[in-house]
Amino acid sequence: MTQIFDATSTTDDVLSGVSLKGKRVLVTGVSAGLGIETARALAGHGAHVVGAARDLAKAERATDQVRVAASQGGGAFELTALDLADLASVRACADRLNAQGTPFDLVIANAGVMATPFGHTKDGFETQFGTNHLGHFVLVNRIAGLLHDGARLVNVSSAGHRFADVDLDDPNFEHTPYVPFVAYGRSKTANILFAVAFDARHRARGVRATAVHPGGIMTELVRHMAPGEIEAMVSQINEQAAAEGQKPFQFKSIPQGAATSVWAGVVAEAGAVGAHYCEDCHVSDVVPNDQPISLVNAGVRAYALDPAHAEALWTKSEEMVGERFA
């Protein structure tokens, strides 16, 4: 019988009894929060985890627990440099991995930023779209040949995708007033659409891609928010939830937050999660674009899973980064 997991399940819950020996995994953003826990859980169950981070010194200090888990669980852990806000760094990381030539069973595109002040990456892209989407778009496509048949891609998105669809006419806010959470929403929608388009290109050889919402977790992701801002948001969400007769919003622990990434990557049936959006360790229902939905409700907006929309984003992304990918 397939084990049923939910919002309270942790990484250790979903991996109970699972051996990942012989599996190789790339996890981006391993210097904090969900990335550390994801790497710890996978390495602790026998996987060889390659952790990517912008600040290797910080990542080295932050991942002691990953190395301990790897030693105890028969896994392995190594670090590689990756600055998603600098395509030269992204391409250099991909070149190193391709030069090693060792295939991956799973890539978890976990790294990201949220609600940053208006700014640009080194290549001139709006910070959140450039970091959260375009950096991973180039990295994953450049190492796609290392994903052997049957491998998976997990893009860490967010319920924040509901804040905004992508704007293919003005991705860098050159003509649109900048709102931090609108920009975040665009980038998280892009994470889902990228999974949809990548899945369409690679499913014939058994490579499947999915996007996940980890839930609300207090990690370094909130570092750009003003003091009291997150509390005010939660209060507003709970007022709306109470008015609708819904349960109040609850933060997850980091092990609970990382559980859906791990579940979608190695536990769930590949065909069940491919080209879908998952949360709380299950595949989410699609919510029509014109139907009201609060952040305490589950569900993914229809625009984020639309195949034609995904193809349009793929074409725009290629144009922006100056590369074509099959």
Side-chain angles (χ1 to χ4, degrees):
M1 179 180 294
T2 302
Q3 177 70 45
I4 302 300
F5 302 107
D6 58 24
T8 66
S9 301
T10 66
T11 48
D12 287 334
D13 291 334
V14 300
L15 289 178
S16 178
V18 175
S19 173
L20 299 177
K21 290 184 178 179
K23 303 294 185 181
R24 193 163 182 262
V25 183
L26 173 65
V27 181
T28 68
V30 297
S31 62
L34 295 178
I36 295 173
E37 172 60 18
T38 300
R40 182 206 66 79
L42 295 169
H45 283 262
H48 181 144
V49 177
V50 179
R54 178 182 59 82
D55 186 338
L56 286 183
K58 177 184 178 182
E60 190 75 37
R61 295 189 300 270
T63 52
D64 284 345
Q65 60 183 291
V66 180
R67 292 180 178 81
V68 170
S71 176
Q72 295 174 343
F77 179 69
E78 63 179 282
L79 287 169
T80 191
L82 171 67
D83 183 351
L84 289 164
D86 179 357
L87 290 185
S89 171
V90 173
R91 290 165 179 143
C93 178
D95 288 347
R96 288 193 304 274
L97 295 173
N98 282 320
Q100 292 175 1
T102 310
F104 286 107
D105 297 274
L106 171 64
V107 172
I108 299 181
N110 164 82
V113 293
M114 182 179 76
T116 61
F118 183 63
H120 298 89
T121 68
K122 289 189 176 180
D123 302 278
F125 309 126
E126 185 277 313
T127 299
Q128 297 187 76
F129 190 79
T131 303
N132 296 346
H133 169 58
L134 292 175
H136 280 126
F137 179 78
V138 172
L139 176 69
V140 172
N141 276 310
R142 278 185 161 238
I143 64 169
L146 295 179
L147 295 176
H148 64 64
D149 295 357
R152 299 189 198 185
L153 166 66
V154 175
N155 284 344
V156 178
S157 180
S158 169
H161 79 274
R162 303 171 192 162
F163 291 133
D165 191 2
V166 294
D167 186 339
L168 302 183
D169 295 321
D170 189 24
N172 293 319
F173 286 86
E174 295 172 315
H175 310 291
T176 309
Y178 181 77
V179 179
F181 272 103
V182 169
Y184 181 67
R186 291 183 183 184
S187 72
K188 294 290 100 178
T189 295
N191 291 152
I192 305 170
L193 291 170
F194 174 35
V196 171
F198 191 87
D199 187 89
R201 283 164 172 75
H202 297 277
R203 71 177 63 146
R205 63 186 184 94
V207 174
R208 304 307 305 264
T210 187
V212 303
H213 168 47
I217 310 104
M218 290 296 287
T219 69
E220 287 188 16
L221 194 65
V222 302
R223 63 185 177 274
H224 297 289
M225 300 181 71
E229 187 175 357
I230 190 71
E231 290 81 4
M233 286 186 64
V234 171
S235 178
Q236 183 178 6
I237 291 168
N238 284 338
E239 286 179 10
Q240 180 182 351
E244 297 172 355
Q246 302 286 339
K247 294 180 180 179
F249 171 84
Q250 289 186 320
F251 283 108
K252 287 186 177 185
S253 68
I254 290 176
Q256 289 172 336
T260 302
S261 295
V262 172
W263 174 82
V266 300
V267 176
E269 292 292 333
V273 298
H276 288 288
Y277 169 94
C278 306
E279 57 192 321
D280 298 338
C281 299
H282 66 263
V283 175
S284 301
D285 292 330
V286 179
V287 179
N289 296 334
D290 59 354
Q291 179 177 314
I293 184 172
S294 72
L295 287 178
V296 297
N297 296 122
V300 55
R301 284 296 189 195
Y303 58 66
L305 291 176
D306 181 76
H309 201 32
E311 289 303 316
L313 173 64
W314 187 286
T315 299
K316 183 64 176 181
S317 300
E318 289 182 324
E319 173 190 315
M320 293 177 73
V321 304
E323 291 189 66
R324 295 290 301 276
F325 300 107

